[in-house]
Every structure is written in structure tokens, then in C-alpha cells.
Amino acid sequence: RRLVRAVLKAFPADRAADFFRELGVPLHEEENGKLFPDSNTARTVLEALLSEADRLGVRILRSHRVARIFRDGDRFSIETSVGPFSSRFAVLATGGKSYPKTGSDGAGYGFAAALGHSIVEPVPSLSPLVLSGDFHVGLSGLSLSVELMLSVPGNGNEKPVRIPGRMLWTHFGVSGPAALDVSRHFNRSRAGGKTPVLWANLLPDEDAVSLERKWIGSS
């Protein structure tokens, strides 16, 4: 965590936003402070990064499947499907294992472990939540502002996780930014053998007094 904090301090969100604007990708802020390109397409970001890499003379070697990375003295040896490479530095940016078609098949964890890093067992994050029963089927397509609260019984004095945002009812459960954000906490607890409890406040901007006024009226 300290390493991540240092990286974010050296290159904070505002500098990242300036970087993309300099590349011709204007951004806008959406709910919960998330930044998106004004075009609302990922291709805009991809094309800007590829163009900048080309301008700086960065070589992108496609169809080079990495099989192994290991230390060789003060250098890294990288064995690929096309042949070996040697470099003073190596950056592992393989993604997780959530999308094998793109190369995110978990191989990066093996490379990291072989280099001496310890690995925390990965769990799904930014994933929809499946609900049992069928009470939610009739709500499918409905989106509303909520506050989700996740607590883990027996977790001592650990505070519950609270996630505000939009939630989308689906035919299988719930999705949308709030559900996706809370999913990593839910899945991590389950993977640790715990039984997390998830609560949804469907009226987060109301209190007992304002609800009474709306439902009953004031005299």
C-alpha cells in the first residue's frame, strides 16, 4: 500500500487528467469523481496513447507471447514465443485474469511469483451481484440512487463499508456503479471464509421526518 501511495502522490489524478488533455482527450467528471473522455468511448483513449507512444519512438511488439521472466545478473531475461529479450528493467502490466481473450489470463501472477513477489489470491471486482429468488426480476432496468453498506459479522471493531451511488436492478440481481464498487469487498470477504451482509438504503437522501412529510403529509 505504501508503494501505491507513493506512486499516486508522484502522479496524482489532476496530473493524469492534464496528461490526457495534452494528448487531445478532454475529460469530464461523473458521479463519485470518476473521469471519462468527453467522447465516452475507450477507443479515444487507446488511439491517443498509441499515437503518443509512436511519437516517442516506443516499439510495440505484437504477437509476442511472454513465457518466462527471470533475473540474469543485473538484467531481466524475457522469453517470448518469438525469441528472447534482455533488459535492465521490466514492468509487469498483464492485467488480472478476468479476460483471457485480451491476455489477462493470470499469467502475470506466475511471473511475479517467480521473481519473488508474494501473491494475494485474486477475487472478482467490479462485478455485478447475483441475488437469489426472483423478486427483482420485475424491477429489471430500474436505476436509482442508493447507499450500500457491507458488514462482516465477527469482524471486531471494523467499520462497515459504505458505498453511495447509482444501482441498477437486473434480471439476475443488481449492477451499476454502487454494486460494482462494493463487489470487491463482498467477494474478498467470501473468499476469506466469511459471511458478509449487504444492506441497501434505497432512500439515502431522506430521513424519517422528510419521509413522513412525503408519505403522510404535514398538518
Side-chain angles (χ1 to χ4, degrees):
R1 291 183 180 181
R2 277 188 216 147
L3 175 62
V4 174
R5 190 179 294 116
V7 171
L8 293 177
K9 186 176 180 181
F11 193 69
D14 56 348
R15 281 190 61 195
D18 289 340
F19 168 75
F20 280 106
R21 291 189 185 101
E22 289 167 7
L23 297 188
V25 183
L27 307 174
H28 64 272
E29 186 172 326
E30 293 194 357
E31 206 168 12
N32 295 331
K34 292 173 177 152
L35 296 174
F36 286 85
D38 286 352
S39 65
N40 284 318
T41 64
R43 179 165 292 279
T44 303
V45 177
L46 173 63
E47 289 176 348
L49 291 173
L50 290 175
S51 176
E52 180 68 359
D54 185 60
R55 185 185 73 82
L56 294 173
V58 176
R59 281 196 310 149
I60 298 177
L61 305 178
R62 298 173 176 84
S63 302
H64 284 57
R65 177 74 184 181
V66 177
R68 185 181 173 217
I69 302 175
F70 60 94
R71 291 300 296 263
D72 185 8
D74 62 348
R75 299 181 69 82
F76 290 94
S77 288
I78 304 167
E79 296 179 356
T80 78
S81 56
V82 179
F85 292 86
S86 178
S87 175
R88 285 185 58 208
F89 302 99
V91 177
L92 284 179
T94 61
K97 61 177 185 178
S98 60
Y99 203 171
K101 263 198 228 179
T102 66
S104 295
D105 59 0
Y109 296 121
F111 298 149
L115 291 170
H117 294 282
S118 57
I119 305 297
V120 176
E121 185 62 28
V123 298
S125 64
L126 295 178
S127 58
L129 299 175
V130 178
L131 300 178
S132 59
D134 59 2
F135 76 94
H136 47 82
V137 175
L139 300 172
S140 182
L142 178 65
S143 174
L144 67 162
S145 292
V146 302
E147 182 183 61
L148 298 180
M149 184 180 78
L150 183 137
S151 62
V152 181
N155 238 21
N157 294 324
E158 192 170 323
K159 292 182 178 178
V161 174
R162 295 177 181 272
I163 305 285
R166 301 291 294 182
M167 186 181 78
L168 173 68
W169 293 96
T170 70
H171 65 283
F172 57 78
V174 291
S175 187
L180 297 179
D181 284 349
V182 83
S183 66
R184 68 187 176 93
H185 302 285
F186 185 88
N187 291 326
R188 175 62 65 197
S189 296
R190 290 280 296 272
K194 298 173 182 175
T195 306
V197 177
L198 186 62
W199 302 82
N201 180 354
L202 304 180
L203 296 165
D205 299 323
E206 306 287 353
D207 57 24
V209 175
S210 64
L211 282 176
E212 185 175 6
R213 285 202 191 103
K214 283 185 177 182
W215 291 346
I216 302 174
S218 56
S219 55

